[in-house]
Amino acid sequence: MISQVWRLNKLDKAVSFAVCDDDEIICEAICNRIDKLLAKFGLSASIDKYVSPVALYKNIEGGQRKYDALFLDIDMPKLNGIDLAKAIKKAEEAPDIIFVSNREEMVFDTFSVRPFGFVRKNNFTNDLIDTLRSYVNTRMNKNAYIGIKTNNNSVVRKLKVSDIVYIESFRYKQYIYMADNEEIECRMSMEEFEKKLANYDIVRMYKGYLVNLKYVQKIERTGVLVNYKGGVNINVSRDKVQELKAIYLNYLRKMGTVLFNGES
């Protein structure tokens, strides 16, 4: 095991990762790429490299090491990545699992451990960028807040991003609908909101709506059903629906949701 630390200081607590691949060269390459991407995000992290899945399991099971996320190969001797993840997931505070593998045909087999992501080695850079960005947004920034101005810009409110269900634009005003059913009126433009929320899973559904994918119940042919006060339907053009379905399915996969045929 070799430990590396990136000395960036945007978070109060350094994030701890482990990478396990029985090929030492590949393991080193994965660590180096994570290093560069995290630097772009401005984050602080420590990372441990393992070429033995058994050694990683013993360190976690014995309490010597604790990690926020593990990047695991699937094909490894003595203990493959899926079995390793199953063993580790038995712990009360189990780390997130991200598989890094050429075995794309095994992606559905990994759903049993509800991985956070699946990085294909043959599309390594793009998949890793998407996965790390999602990890930052959904795990590290789960308590993120944004500031807004209300009452003719005279009052500043702090809102928890994960509690925003959707934002509606109507007659030069924006209305924010929160998970606790509070409705907030403000005069910020949708463009301002879109810019503030660009790094989160809140997307433009239509010209007058921004919706948090966390609260989407389903996407139908003519619109989106949002989980707010028993359900709110937002009409969307048919051309936009197909784009939104792709975005939503990608979000579900990143969150480790098990998908079945016909699920949208």
Side-chain angles (χ1 to χ4, degrees):
M1 179 190 72
I2 306 171
S3 182
Q4 301 177 354
V5 176
W6 291 281
R7 301 185 181 281
L8 305 165
N9 52 18
K10 205 167 186 178
L11 295 178
D12 294 333
K13 170 184 174 294
V15 179
S16 182
F17 292 154
V19 175
C20 186
D21 194 302
D22 59 303
D23 187 317
E24 189 169 358
I25 295 175
I26 292 177
C27 191
E28 178 75 24
I30 293 171
C31 291
N32 289 339
R33 191 57 183 160
I34 292 174
D35 178 6
K36 293 178 181 178
L37 290 175
L38 287 175
K40 289 182 179 180
F41 292 139
L43 300 175
S44 174
S46 66
I47 186 168
D48 291 340
K49 298 188 296 183
Y50 292 85
V51 294
S52 167
V54 175
L56 172 57
Y57 175 73
K58 287 183 177 179
N59 273 356
I60 294 176
E61 197 271 339
Q64 288 93 343
R65 301 291 292 173
K66 186 175 181 180
Y67 299 106
D68 295 294
L70 308 178
F71 294 77
L72 306 179
D73 188 19
I74 291 179
D75 284 329
M76 294 187 289
K78 297 184 180 180
L79 187 62
N80 69 52
I82 296 176
D83 288 339
L84 172 61
K86 287 179 179 178
I88 290 172
K89 281 286 188 176
K90 294 178 181 178
E92 288 187 8
E93 296 183 7
D96 287 308
I97 303 295
I98 299 168
F99 289 106
V100 185
S101 177
N102 278 322
R103 300 292 301 276
E104 293 181 44
E105 75 278 7
M106 297 189 70
V107 64
F108 292 105
D109 296 327
T110 68
F111 284 174
S112 61
V113 295
R114 299 184 66 81
F116 184 86
F118 193 103
V119 175
R120 298 165 292 175
K121 287 183 177 177
N122 62 3
N123 194 41
F124 177 72
T125 299
N126 290 334
D127 283 0
L128 186 63
I129 289 172
D130 289 343
T131 301
L132 278 179
R133 182 182 291 116
S134 178
Y135 187 85
V136 169
N137 292 341
T138 60
R139 295 293 192 263
M140 300 180 191
N141 291 335
K142 63 183 178 181
N143 293 319
Y145 290 82
I146 62 167
I148 66 165
K149 293 180 179 180
T150 64
N151 295 344
N152 296 322
N153 293 332
S154 62
V155 177
V156 177
R157 287 280 305 271
K158 185 174 76 169
L159 302 181
K160 190 173 183 179
V161 173
S162 62
D163 289 342
I164 297 173
V165 180
Y166 71 102
I167 302 171
E168 178 185 23
S169 179
F170 184 71
R171 292 183 178 177
Y172 305 105
K173 295 181 181 180
Q174 273 52 251
Y175 298 88
I176 306 169
Y177 301 91
M178 304 296 292
D180 63 359
N181 294 332
E182 182 183 9
E183 299 178 10
I184 304 168
E185 177 188 319
C186 66
R187 293 182 177 272
M188 289 173 57
S189 69
M190 290 296 276
E191 288 70 25
E192 288 178 282
F193 274 117
E194 198 165 16
K195 185 176 180 180
K196 278 180 175 288
L197 299 169
N199 293 325
Y200 305 95
D201 290 307
I202 297 179
V203 301
R204 182 71 72 101
M205 290 285 173
Y206 189 65
K207 183 177 180 181
Y209 291 93
L210 285 167
V211 176
N212 191 336
L213 294 177
K214 173 183 176 182
Y215 298 98
V216 170
Q217 289 183 302
K218 61 180 177 179
I219 300 177
E220 300 175 312
R221 291 183 179 180
T222 58
V224 177
L225 180 63
V226 179
N227 186 15
Y228 183 78
K229 290 186 176 181
V232 172
N233 284 294
I234 297 175
N235 293 327
V236 180
S237 68
R238 290 192 176 185
D239 292 339
K240 185 69 172 178
V241 163
Q242 295 306 314
E243 177 187 344
L244 292 174
K245 281 185 176 181
I247 293 171
Y248 187 52
L249 284 172
N250 186 55
Y251 166 77
L252 292 177
R253 291 187 183 101
K254 289 190 295 184
M255 297 304 294
T257 303
V258 179
L259 302 177
F260 299 93
N261 289 335
E263 184 171 343
S264 57

